[in-house]
Amino acid sequence: QVQLVESGGGSVQTGGSLRLSCAVSGTRFRINVMGWYRQAPGKERELVASIGDDGPTAYANAVKGRFTISRDNAKNTVYLQMNSLKPEGTAGYYCYFGGAPENAWGRGTQVTVSS
């Protein structure tokens, strides 16, 4: 069973930074895609950033130039560095694993950005 555990959320002021981490267990397969999604109250969950097993990345337009996704395959961990945070970035952030033996979601970590 694939399990994901997120950490690194918290409260910051506008312009601040946070680094989220997502540790993956339960898979030995390298071919996968991982991503970060976020969901604000009353809104649908949306993709923030994704990264393939060999490094290609994609970002939502709202975070391009401010957020950076990366992964350490040796540690089975994916990171999201968030800089220049804005109040509209307040949301629950969820890690996603797409691969074998099954797709999986983490439970989420809260990010709150105050103005």
XYZ file of all heavy atoms in Angstrom:
860
model
N 0.840 -1.181 0.000
C 0.000 0.000 0.000
C 0.882 1.241 0.000
O 1.757 1.404 0.848
C -0.893 0.011 1.225
C -1.842 1.188 1.284
C -2.732 1.143 2.514
O -2.589 0.265 3.364
N -3.643 2.074 2.612
N 0.643 2.120 -0.954
C 1.413 3.351 -1.048
C 0.899 4.348 -0.018
O -0.300 4.561 0.111
C 1.307 3.960 -2.454
C 2.056 5.289 -2.510
C 1.847 2.991 -3.509
N 1.811 4.934 0.722
C 1.450 5.945 1.716
C 2.292 7.191 1.506
O 3.482 7.105 1.211
C 1.654 5.406 3.125
C 0.690 4.279 3.482
C 0.807 3.842 4.924
O 1.884 3.849 5.506
N -0.313 3.477 5.523
N 1.651 8.350 1.669
C 2.319 9.628 1.530
C 2.110 10.434 2.814
O 0.984 10.516 3.317
C 1.754 10.427 0.360
C 2.016 9.926 -1.069
C 1.173 8.716 -1.404
C 1.765 11.021 -2.073
N 3.160 11.031 3.297
C 3.073 11.844 4.495
C 3.670 13.215 4.197
O 4.862 13.326 3.883
C 3.814 11.191 5.678
C 3.742 12.096 6.903
C 3.217 9.823 5.982
N 2.811 14.237 4.277
C 3.262 15.606 4.023
C 3.704 16.283 5.323
O 3.221 15.950 6.394
C 2.136 16.448 3.397
C 1.570 15.925 2.104
C 0.224 15.285 2.280
O -0.032 14.738 3.379
O -0.597 15.314 1.337
N 4.581 17.254 5.170
C 5.005 18.080 6.298
C 5.457 19.428 5.769
O 5.665 19.585 4.561
C 6.131 17.410 7.084
O 7.261 17.209 6.259
N 5.582 20.391 6.665
C 6.138 21.684 6.293
C 5.144 22.807 6.178
O 5.526 23.961 5.927
N 3.863 22.518 6.341
C 2.873 23.590 6.281
C 2.980 24.500 7.493
O 3.711 24.222 8.442
N 2.241 25.606 7.439
C 2.251 26.538 8.560
C 1.638 27.859 8.173
O 0.967 27.966 7.143
N 1.873 28.846 9.011
C 1.341 30.185 8.786
C 2.477 31.160 8.515
O 3.459 31.173 9.259
C 0.545 30.643 10.011
O -0.569 29.810 10.236
N 2.315 31.955 7.464
C 3.321 32.954 7.111
C 2.613 34.229 6.681
O 1.421 34.212 6.362
C 4.250 32.484 5.974
C 5.066 31.283 6.405
C 3.462 32.169 4.710
N 3.365 35.297 6.631
C 2.834 36.550 6.119
C 3.061 36.627 4.620
O 3.887 35.897 4.060
C 3.502 37.731 6.819
C 3.137 37.835 8.296
C 3.684 39.086 8.934
O 4.715 39.621 8.522
N 2.990 39.582 9.960
N 2.321 37.508 3.990
C 2.489 37.725 2.554
C 3.955 38.002 2.235
O 4.609 38.791 2.920
C 1.635 38.919 2.102
O 0.252 38.603 2.314
C 1.839 39.207 0.621
N 4.443 37.311 1.197
C 5.838 37.457 0.808
C 6.762 36.439 1.444
O 7.938 36.348 1.058
N 6.251 35.679 2.387
C 7.070 34.692 3.068
C 7.263 33.423 2.251
O 6.751 33.292 1.134
N 7.992 32.483 2.839
C 8.315 31.228 2.160
C 8.026 30.037 3.060
O 8.109 30.142 4.296
C 9.799 31.205 1.764
O 10.111 32.231 0.858
N 7.715 28.936 2.425
C 7.564 27.648 3.107
C 8.082 26.559 2.182
O 8.028 26.701 0.947
C 6.099 27.361 3.442
C 5.464 28.115 4.606
C 3.963 27.824 4.654
C 6.108 27.755 5.927
N 8.521 25.474 2.773
C 8.950 24.314 1.996
C 8.168 23.102 2.473
O 8.272 22.716 3.641
C 10.433 24.056 2.169
C 10.977 22.987 1.227
C 12.366 22.571 1.635
N 13.036 21.784 0.598
C 14.029 20.929 0.851
N 14.447 20.759 2.088
N 14.600 20.267 -0.139
N 7.395 22.541 1.566
C 6.633 21.343 1.869
C 7.424 20.107 1.459
O 8.147 20.124 0.463
C 5.299 21.348 1.134
C 4.401 22.568 1.335
C 3.088 22.376 0.581
C 4.152 22.845 2.797
N 7.261 19.036 2.237
C 7.888 17.759 1.920
C 6.823 16.677 1.893
O 5.827 16.755 2.612
C 8.937 17.400 2.968
O 9.968 18.354 3.007
N 7.057 15.668 1.061
C 6.141 14.528 0.973
C 6.978 13.267 0.872
O 7.675 13.059 -0.133
C 5.231 14.667 -0.228
S 4.180 13.230 -0.536
N 6.914 12.441 1.896
C 7.656 11.194 1.919
C 6.752 10.057 1.456
O 5.624 9.923 1.947
C 8.164 10.922 3.327
N 7.242 9.254 0.524
C 6.470 8.165 -0.069
C 7.011 6.830 0.417
O 8.223 6.620 0.440
C 6.546 8.211 -1.602
C 5.663 7.123 -2.210
C 6.141 9.584 -2.120
N 6.116 5.944 0.783
C 6.508 4.579 1.135
C 5.548 3.608 0.459
O 4.467 3.976 0.019
C 6.476 4.383 2.652
O 5.168 4.581 3.155
N 5.970 2.361 0.354
C 5.105 1.338 -0.209
C 5.247 1.122 -1.703
O 4.450 0.410 -2.304
N 6.279 1.729 -2.305
C 6.510 1.495 -3.722
C 7.999 1.379 -3.971
O 8.796 2.059 -3.327
C 5.934 2.621 -4.578
O 6.231 2.339 -5.966
C 6.548 3.970 -4.233
N 8.342 0.500 -4.900
C 9.738 0.345 -5.292
C 9.948 0.750 -6.738
O 11.026 0.580 -7.280
C 10.163 -1.116 -5.115
C 10.121 -1.610 -3.679
C 10.486 -3.079 -3.621
N 9.480 -3.877 -4.321
C 9.666 -5.154 -4.645
N 10.790 -5.753 -4.385
N 8.705 -5.820 -5.262
N 8.900 1.324 -7.345
C 8.960 1.632 -8.759
C 9.367 3.075 -8.982
O 8.863 3.986 -8.335
C 7.611 1.362 -9.416
C 7.234 -0.083 -9.405
C 6.489 -0.616 -8.363
C 7.652 -0.928 -10.411
C 6.144 -1.942 -8.337
C 7.315 -2.266 -10.397
C 6.562 -2.777 -9.365
N 10.278 3.275 -9.918
C 10.775 4.614 -10.198
C 9.898 5.361 -11.194
O 9.895 6.574 -11.217
C 12.196 4.507 -10.758
C 13.254 4.215 -9.730
C 13.599 5.478 -8.963
N 13.923 6.563 -9.857
C 15.118 6.735 -10.395
N 16.089 5.889 -10.134
N 15.360 7.758 -11.202
N 9.179 4.605 -12.050
C 8.410 5.260 -13.096
C 7.102 5.771 -12.497
O 6.166 5.019 -12.271
C 8.137 4.297 -14.258
C 9.462 3.793 -14.823
C 7.329 5.001 -15.344
C 9.302 2.743 -15.892
N 7.051 7.046 -12.210
C 5.845 7.608 -11.617
C 5.860 9.120 -11.807
O 6.848 9.698 -12.263
C 5.778 7.272 -10.118
C 7.003 7.743 -9.361
O 7.234 8.946 -9.239
N 7.793 6.824 -8.839
N 4.767 9.699 -11.485
C 4.670 11.159 -11.467
C 4.181 11.554 -10.084
O 3.352 10.872 -9.474
C 3.715 11.673 -12.563
C 2.316 11.140 -12.370
C 3.699 13.195 -12.598
N 4.710 12.645 -9.589
C 4.270 13.146 -8.290
C 3.884 14.605 -8.431
O 4.385 15.318 -9.305
C 5.369 12.976 -7.248
C 5.716 11.529 -6.997
S 6.604 11.267 -5.471
C 5.348 11.686 -4.270
N 2.981 15.012 -7.588
C 2.526 16.388 -7.700
C 1.992 16.927 -6.388
O 1.807 16.193 -5.415
N 1.804 18.219 -6.391
C 1.165 18.926 -5.280
C -0.109 19.578 -5.792
O -0.105 20.238 -6.840
C 2.102 19.989 -4.713
C 3.237 19.444 -3.935
C 4.504 19.179 -4.384
C 3.225 19.069 -2.557
N 5.267 18.667 -3.377
C 4.505 18.592 -2.233
C 2.251 19.091 -1.554
C 4.841 18.151 -0.956
C 2.593 18.648 -0.296
C 3.866 18.184 -0.007
N -1.175 19.358 -5.065
C -2.449 19.999 -5.332
C -2.811 20.852 -4.116
O -2.268 20.654 -3.034
C -3.542 18.951 -5.549
C -3.470 18.224 -6.863
C -2.459 17.300 -7.120
C -4.420 18.443 -7.856
C -2.400 16.625 -8.330
C -4.372 17.774 -9.064
C -3.362 16.865 -9.287
O -3.313 16.195 -10.492
N -3.736 21.766 -4.308
C -4.233 22.540 -3.177
C -5.736 22.714 -3.294
O -6.285 22.714 -4.391
C -3.543 23.886 -3.063
C -3.818 24.859 -4.197
C -2.950 26.113 -4.043
N -3.169 27.076 -5.114
C -2.438 28.171 -5.301
N -1.426 28.441 -4.461
N -2.710 28.997 -6.291
N -6.344 22.871 -2.140
C -7.787 23.064 -2.101
C -8.123 24.093 -1.027
O -7.860 23.863 0.155
C -8.520 21.753 -1.834
C -10.023 21.860 -1.940
C -10.698 20.503 -1.938
O -10.129 19.502 -1.514
N -11.932 20.456 -2.445
N -8.693 25.193 -1.470
C -9.138 26.230 -0.551
C -10.597 25.972 -0.177
O -11.321 25.311 -0.929
C -8.987 27.600 -1.200
N -11.052 26.498 0.955
C -12.444 26.288 1.360
C -13.422 26.744 0.283
O -13.309 27.840 -0.260
C -12.572 27.160 2.618
C -11.194 27.216 3.170
C -10.293 27.242 1.965
N -14.355 25.861 -0.062
C -15.372 26.193 -1.049
C -14.921 26.111 -2.487
O -15.685 26.439 -3.398
N -13.690 25.676 -2.699
C -13.162 25.585 -4.059
C -12.746 24.160 -4.381
O -12.547 23.338 -3.497
C -11.983 26.536 -4.243
C -12.350 28.001 -4.118
C -11.179 28.889 -4.495
C -11.572 30.356 -4.461
N -10.433 31.237 -4.860
N -12.602 23.893 -5.687
C -12.167 22.570 -6.103
C -10.660 22.413 -5.914
O -9.911 23.393 -5.914
C -12.534 22.343 -7.574
C -14.027 22.290 -7.837
C -14.346 21.927 -9.269
O -13.404 21.851 -10.078
O -15.527 21.730 -9.570
N -10.251 21.166 -5.786
C -8.817 20.889 -5.689
C -8.175 21.188 -7.046
O -8.684 20.800 -8.090
C -8.603 19.428 -5.296
C -7.172 19.095 -4.939
C -7.062 17.706 -4.326
N -7.737 17.636 -3.033
C -7.651 16.583 -2.220
N -6.941 15.527 -2.576
N -8.302 16.586 -1.073
N -7.023 21.841 -7.016
C -6.344 22.216 -8.256
C -4.881 21.818 -8.210
O -4.248 21.809 -7.157
C -6.462 23.727 -8.485
C -5.811 24.581 -7.413
C -5.896 26.073 -7.680
O -6.522 26.484 -8.673
O -5.308 26.843 -6.894
N -4.359 21.528 -9.392
C -2.945 21.170 -9.499
C -2.080 22.411 -9.295
O -2.327 23.454 -9.892
C -2.662 20.560 -10.868
C -1.202 20.226 -11.159
C -0.708 19.101 -10.264
C -1.025 19.869 -12.634
N -1.059 22.265 -8.477
C -0.095 23.341 -8.265
C 1.160 23.089 -9.086
O 1.634 23.959 -9.813
C 0.269 23.465 -6.775
C 1.346 24.521 -6.567
C -0.967 23.785 -5.950
N 1.695 21.860 -8.960
C 2.918 21.517 -9.675
C 3.043 20.008 -9.748
O 2.539 19.299 -8.876
C 4.140 22.111 -8.979
N 3.740 19.527 -10.771
C 3.982 18.097 -10.903
C 5.393 17.870 -11.405
O 6.002 18.759 -12.016
C 2.961 17.457 -11.850
O 3.135 17.963 -13.164
N 5.891 16.647 -11.162
C 7.248 16.308 -11.597
C 7.286 14.831 -11.968
O 6.776 13.976 -11.240
C 8.275 16.641 -10.502
C 9.698 16.382 -10.999
C 7.991 15.895 -9.201
C 10.768 16.995 -10.092
N 7.867 14.528 -13.127
C 8.008 13.154 -13.566
C 9.211 12.489 -12.923
O 10.029 13.150 -12.266
N 9.350 11.188 -13.137
C 10.418 10.455 -12.473
C 11.789 10.871 -12.966
O 12.769 10.779 -12.220
C 10.235 8.947 -12.670
C 10.271 8.564 -14.131
O 9.433 9.070 -14.885
O 11.147 7.770 -14.513
N 11.866 11.359 -14.207
C 13.161 11.791 -14.726
C 13.284 13.302 -14.760
O 14.179 13.841 -15.417
C 13.414 11.205 -16.108
C 12.316 11.537 -17.094
O 11.298 12.113 -16.659
O 12.476 11.235 -18.279
N 12.385 14.000 -14.054
C 12.588 15.419 -13.821
C 11.719 16.452 -14.481
O 11.730 17.604 -14.043
N 10.970 16.145 -15.546
C 10.180 17.214 -16.163
C 9.129 17.746 -15.201
O 8.507 16.982 -14.467
C 9.532 16.530 -17.370
C 9.539 15.089 -17.051
C 10.770 14.860 -16.234
N 8.965 19.061 -15.203
C 8.042 19.708 -14.269
C 6.970 20.494 -15.000
O 7.133 20.876 -16.167
C 8.804 20.656 -13.339
O 9.482 21.637 -14.132
C 9.821 19.903 -12.501
N 5.890 20.734 -14.308
C 4.811 21.570 -14.819
C 4.233 22.345 -13.654
O 4.203 21.839 -12.525
C 3.723 20.717 -15.481
N 3.793 23.573 -13.929
C 3.286 24.446 -12.874
C 1.986 25.112 -13.298
O 1.784 25.418 -14.484
C 4.299 25.549 -12.550
C 5.592 25.046 -11.978
C 6.680 24.746 -12.802
C 5.747 24.867 -10.603
C 7.872 24.279 -12.271
C 6.937 24.410 -10.071
C 7.991 24.113 -10.919
O 9.172 23.651 -10.390
N 1.149 25.376 -12.311
C -0.021 26.215 -12.559
C 0.459 27.631 -12.841
O 1.464 28.078 -12.278
C -0.934 26.200 -11.343
N -0.247 28.333 -13.706
C 0.157 29.700 -14.058
C 0.261 30.589 -12.823
O 1.128 31.465 -12.759
C -0.835 30.302 -15.044
C -0.720 29.706 -16.430
O 0.336 29.202 -16.818
N -1.803 29.751 -17.188
N -0.598 30.344 -11.844
C -0.647 31.209 -10.657
C 0.615 31.128 -9.806
O 0.869 32.027 -9.002
C -1.866 30.858 -9.809
N 1.417 30.081 -9.980
C 2.589 29.898 -9.114
C 3.902 29.910 -9.884
O 4.974 29.828 -9.267
C 2.485 28.598 -8.293
C 1.173 28.546 -7.527
C 2.645 27.366 -9.178
N 3.850 30.006 -11.194
C 5.080 30.002 -11.996
C 6.007 31.133 -11.568
O 5.572 32.263 -11.378
C 4.741 30.145 -13.482
C 4.238 28.872 -14.131
C 3.964 29.070 -15.616
C 3.455 27.796 -16.241
N 3.134 27.983 -17.688
N 7.267 30.789 -11.414
C 8.248 31.779 -11.012
C 8.369 31.952 -9.507
O 9.309 32.600 -9.036
N 7.437 31.402 -8.750
C 7.471 31.538 -7.285
C 7.628 30.185 -6.587
O 8.229 30.120 -5.511
C 6.194 32.214 -6.794
C 5.999 33.623 -7.347
C 4.784 34.314 -6.704
N 3.533 33.631 -6.998
C 2.758 33.072 -6.072
N 3.111 33.096 -4.788
N 1.629 32.479 -6.432
N 7.073 29.136 -7.169
C 7.139 27.806 -6.566
C 8.089 26.930 -7.374
O 8.178 27.051 -8.599
C 5.761 27.144 -6.560
C 4.765 27.751 -5.602
C 4.980 28.971 -4.984
C 3.598 27.069 -5.308
C 4.066 29.517 -4.111
C 2.648 27.589 -4.438
C 2.887 28.820 -3.841
N 8.759 26.007 -6.680
C 9.642 25.051 -7.339
C 9.395 23.665 -6.772
O 9.480 23.476 -5.551
C 11.114 25.421 -7.138
O 11.354 26.743 -7.639
C 12.017 24.440 -7.882
N 9.099 22.727 -7.658
C 8.925 21.337 -7.238
C 10.207 20.573 -7.546
O 10.848 20.808 -8.579
C 7.697 20.687 -7.922
C 7.406 19.318 -7.314
C 7.877 20.610 -9.437
C 6.072 18.726 -7.762
N 10.579 19.675 -6.655
C 11.773 18.861 -6.863
C 11.566 17.514 -6.190
O 10.627 17.345 -5.407
C 13.015 19.559 -6.301
O 12.883 19.768 -4.909
N 12.432 16.580 -6.498
C 12.306 15.256 -5.887
C 13.667 14.670 -5.641
O 14.629 14.962 -6.363
C 11.466 14.320 -6.763
C 12.007 14.055 -8.142
C 10.973 13.331 -9.001
N 10.779 11.965 -8.553
C 9.752 11.203 -8.960
N 8.834 11.698 -9.793
N 9.643 9.968 -8.519
N 13.745 13.841 -4.612
C 14.946 13.090 -4.281
C 14.553 11.620 -4.337
O 13.942 11.103 -3.399
C 15.454 13.489 -2.890
C 16.763 12.817 -2.531
O 17.054 11.731 -3.077
O 17.490 13.367 -1.694
N 14.883 10.963 -5.450
C 14.452 9.574 -5.624
C 15.112 8.642 -4.609
O 14.528 7.632 -4.231
C 14.760 9.109 -7.048
C 13.856 9.772 -8.073
O 12.722 10.142 -7.764
N 14.357 9.935 -9.282
N 16.294 8.973 -4.166
C 16.975 8.127 -3.177
C 16.230 8.145 -1.846
O 16.253 7.165 -1.093
C 18.411 8.592 -2.986
N 15.566 9.260 -1.564
C 14.818 9.394 -0.311
C 13.321 9.201 -0.504
O 12.552 9.332 0.450
C 15.075 10.762 0.308
C 16.516 10.986 0.732
C 16.674 12.361 1.376
C 18.101 12.582 1.835
N 18.274 13.917 2.465
N 12.905 8.944 -1.746
C 11.469 8.817 -2.034
C 10.688 9.998 -1.496
O 9.643 9.848 -0.839
C 10.900 7.515 -1.459
C 11.222 6.311 -2.318
O 11.689 6.452 -3.442
N 10.976 5.137 -1.799
N 11.200 11.177 -1.765
C 10.600 12.396 -1.230
C 10.462 13.439 -2.331
O 11.362 13.588 -3.167
C 11.439 12.961 -0.073
O 11.536 11.973 0.955
C 10.809 14.216 0.504
N 9.349 14.151 -2.315
C 9.141 15.262 -3.234
C 8.954 16.524 -2.404
O 8.400 16.480 -1.300
C 7.934 15.009 -4.156
C 6.641 14.928 -3.365
C 7.830 16.082 -5.234
N 9.434 17.635 -2.921
C 9.414 18.902 -2.200
C 8.675 19.965 -3.017
O 8.625 19.903 -4.237
C 10.837 19.392 -1.941
C 11.711 18.383 -1.231
C 12.561 17.544 -1.951
C 11.691 18.269 0.159
C 13.359 16.613 -1.308
C 12.495 17.349 0.805
C 13.325 16.521 0.066
O 14.117 15.597 0.709
N 8.152 20.941 -2.315
C 7.585 22.115 -2.965
C 8.099 23.344 -2.217
O 7.694 23.591 -1.081
C 6.063 22.093 -2.956
C 5.391 23.239 -3.720
C 5.658 23.102 -5.218
C 3.889 23.284 -3.450
N 8.994 24.069 -2.851
C 9.493 25.314 -2.295
C 8.577 26.429 -2.742
O 8.409 26.655 -3.944
C 10.921 25.581 -2.769
C 11.501 26.893 -2.283
C 11.703 26.927 -0.782
O 12.182 25.966 -0.188
N 11.327 28.035 -0.142
N 7.994 27.126 -1.791
C 7.035 28.184 -2.094
C 7.587 29.511 -1.612
O 7.790 29.710 -0.410
C 5.692 27.888 -1.415
C 5.124 26.516 -1.769
S 3.474 26.245 -1.097
C 3.840 26.241 0.658
N 7.840 30.401 -2.539
C 8.346 31.735 -2.226
C 7.317 32.787 -2.604
O 6.412 32.525 -3.393
C 9.649 31.988 -2.982
C 10.750 31.035 -2.601
O 10.835 30.564 -1.469
N 11.611 30.724 -3.557
N 7.486 33.966 -2.059
C 6.595 35.094 -2.359
C 5.130 34.688 -2.222
O 4.308 34.939 -3.113
C 6.862 35.619 -3.781
O 8.206 36.025 -3.919
N 4.820 34.086 -1.118
C 3.465 33.582 -0.906
C 2.453 34.723 -0.828
O 2.761 35.810 -0.318
C 3.406 32.732 0.359
C 3.953 31.307 0.176
C 4.315 30.690 1.520
C 2.928 30.462 -0.552
N 1.264 34.438 -1.334
C 0.172 35.400 -1.363
C -1.018 34.865 -0.561
O -1.144 33.644 -0.402
C -0.264 35.650 -2.811
C 0.846 36.136 -3.733
C 0.333 36.279 -5.158
C 1.438 36.747 -6.094
N 0.950 36.893 -7.490
N -1.890 35.728 -0.078
C -3.049 35.254 0.699
C -3.904 34.240 -0.062
O -4.471 33.333 0.558
C -3.820 36.546 0.970
C -2.778 37.608 0.997
C -1.789 37.198 -0.060
N -3.980 34.367 -1.379
C -4.765 33.407 -2.155
C -4.134 32.026 -2.201
O -4.738 31.078 -2.700
C -5.008 33.914 -3.589
C -3.764 34.367 -4.317
C -3.538 35.863 -4.220
O -3.741 36.437 -3.123
O -3.145 36.469 -5.242
N -2.960 31.908 -1.664
C -2.311 30.606 -1.542
C -2.740 29.846 -0.304
O -2.300 28.707 -0.096
N -3.587 30.457 0.513
C -4.090 29.773 1.697
C -4.970 28.596 1.283
O -5.956 28.768 0.566
C -4.911 30.753 2.557
O -4.036 31.764 3.075
C -5.569 30.017 3.720
N -4.577 27.402 1.712
C -5.293 26.192 1.297
C -4.682 24.992 1.993
O -3.611 25.079 2.601
C -5.185 26.005 -0.221
N -5.358 23.876 1.863
C -4.756 22.602 2.221
C -3.958 22.129 1.017
O -4.456 22.174 -0.105
N -2.740 21.712 1.246
C -1.873 21.246 0.160
C -1.719 19.727 0.266
O -1.387 19.204 1.338
C -0.511 21.929 0.237
C -0.553 23.351 -0.283
C -1.191 24.357 0.436
C 0.018 23.691 -1.510
C -1.264 25.653 -0.047
C -0.036 24.990 -1.992
C -0.685 25.956 -1.262
O -0.757 27.245 -1.741
N -1.960 19.070 -0.850
C -1.998 17.615 -0.874
C -0.961 17.064 -1.851
O -0.866 17.524 -2.988
C -3.378 17.128 -1.285
C -4.468 17.540 -0.334
C -5.084 18.778 -0.445
C -4.859 16.695 0.707
C -6.074 19.174 0.443
C -5.845 17.074 1.594
C -6.441 18.315 1.452
O -7.418 18.696 2.341
N -0.260 16.061 -1.407
C 0.716 15.375 -2.244
C 0.016 14.252 -3.002
O -0.868 13.572 -2.449
C 1.825 14.816 -1.352
S 3.150 13.965 -2.237
N 0.417 14.057 -4.247
C -0.173 13.014 -5.095
C 0.919 12.145 -5.692
O 1.960 12.650 -6.132
C -0.983 13.657 -6.228
C -1.472 12.677 -7.258
C -2.569 11.864 -7.002
C -0.826 12.543 -8.489
C -3.015 10.958 -7.938
C -1.258 11.640 -9.425
C -2.359 10.845 -9.151
O -2.789 9.937 -10.080
N 0.652 10.847 -5.700
C 1.554 9.868 -6.311
C 0.800 9.143 -7.411
O -0.264 8.560 -7.157
C 2.042 8.882 -5.257
C 2.799 7.715 -5.831
C 4.163 7.795 -6.034
C 2.149 6.526 -6.147
C 4.872 6.716 -6.550
C 2.844 5.447 -6.660
C 4.206 5.545 -6.863
N 1.332 9.162 -8.613
C 0.710 8.457 -9.728
C 1.665 7.427 -10.268
O 2.652 7.777 -10.927
N 1.410 6.157 -9.966
C 2.310 5.118 -10.430
C 1.929 3.770 -9.853
O 0.796 3.572 -9.398
N 2.879 2.831 -9.887
C 2.628 1.481 -9.378
C 3.060 1.365 -7.930
O 4.021 2.000 -7.520
C 3.364 0.463 -10.235
N 2.395 0.525 -7.174
C 1.281 -0.336 -7.546
C -0.086 0.352 -7.567
O -1.066 -0.242 -8.018
C 1.303 -1.411 -6.463
C 1.792 -0.681 -5.262
C 2.817 0.308 -5.780
N -0.176 1.602 -7.102
C -1.472 2.289 -7.068
C -1.256 3.782 -6.933
O -0.248 4.244 -6.392
C -2.290 1.792 -5.862
C -1.619 2.066 -4.528
C -2.313 1.404 -3.349
O -3.305 0.706 -3.560
O -1.858 1.615 -2.214
N -2.217 4.554 -7.421
C -2.190 5.988 -7.185
C -2.557 6.257 -5.723
O -3.286 5.474 -5.089
C -3.181 6.696 -8.104
C -2.859 6.497 -9.567
O -1.710 6.230 -9.929
N -3.858 6.609 -10.414
N -2.082 7.378 -5.193
C -2.356 7.649 -3.788
C -2.291 9.145 -3.495
O -1.632 9.906 -4.215
C -1.357 6.909 -2.902
N -2.977 9.537 -2.433
C -2.989 10.912 -1.948
C -2.515 10.951 -0.510
O -2.760 10.021 0.261
C -4.410 11.481 -1.984
C -4.963 11.754 -3.329
C -5.701 10.909 -4.102
C -4.832 12.970 -4.078
N -6.038 11.528 -5.286
C -5.523 12.790 -5.296
C -4.195 14.190 -3.832
C -5.598 13.796 -6.268
C -4.281 15.188 -4.793
C -4.970 14.978 -6.004
N -1.861 12.040 -0.144
C -1.567 12.281 1.253
C -2.767 12.915 1.935
O -3.758 13.261 1.298
N -2.658 13.080 3.244
C -3.766 13.654 4.003
C -3.781 15.174 3.961
O -4.772 15.794 4.346
C -3.699 13.184 5.443
C -3.977 11.700 5.608
C -4.054 11.314 7.069
N -4.429 9.909 7.239
C -4.655 9.330 8.400
N -4.551 10.026 9.516
N -4.990 8.057 8.456
N -2.699 15.765 3.534
C -2.673 17.207 3.378
C -1.979 17.930 4.516
O -1.891 17.432 5.636
N -1.494 19.118 4.200
C -0.903 19.999 5.192
C -1.413 21.414 4.920
O -1.509 21.829 3.762
C 0.635 19.927 5.147
O 1.191 20.714 6.195
C 1.202 20.392 3.813
N -1.756 22.129 5.970
C -2.380 23.438 5.820
C -1.336 24.537 5.662
O -0.343 24.581 6.403
C -3.262 23.741 7.032
C -3.949 25.096 6.992
C -4.982 25.209 5.890
O -5.622 24.202 5.521
N -5.169 26.404 5.360
N -1.594 25.408 4.708
C -0.772 26.604 4.508
C -1.691 27.815 4.638
O -2.711 27.890 3.964
C -0.095 26.602 3.124
C 0.576 27.946 2.861
C 0.915 25.475 3.033
N -1.321 28.727 5.508
C -2.111 29.939 5.720
C -1.220 31.150 5.505
O -0.169 31.261 6.138
C -2.707 29.970 7.134
O -3.525 28.811 7.331
C -3.558 31.221 7.325
N -1.639 32.021 4.598
C -0.862 33.216 4.279
C -1.693 34.435 4.685
O -2.778 34.658 4.154
C -0.520 33.286 2.788
C 0.400 34.469 2.523
C 0.118 31.986 2.317
N -1.169 35.210 5.603
C -1.890 36.383 6.102
C -1.367 37.649 5.430
O -0.189 37.754 5.087
C -1.749 36.490 7.612
O -0.389 36.572 7.968
N -2.279 38.600 5.258
C -1.894 39.863 4.602
C -1.410 40.884 5.616
O -1.515 40.684 6.819
C -3.086 40.412 3.830
O -4.178 40.603 4.699
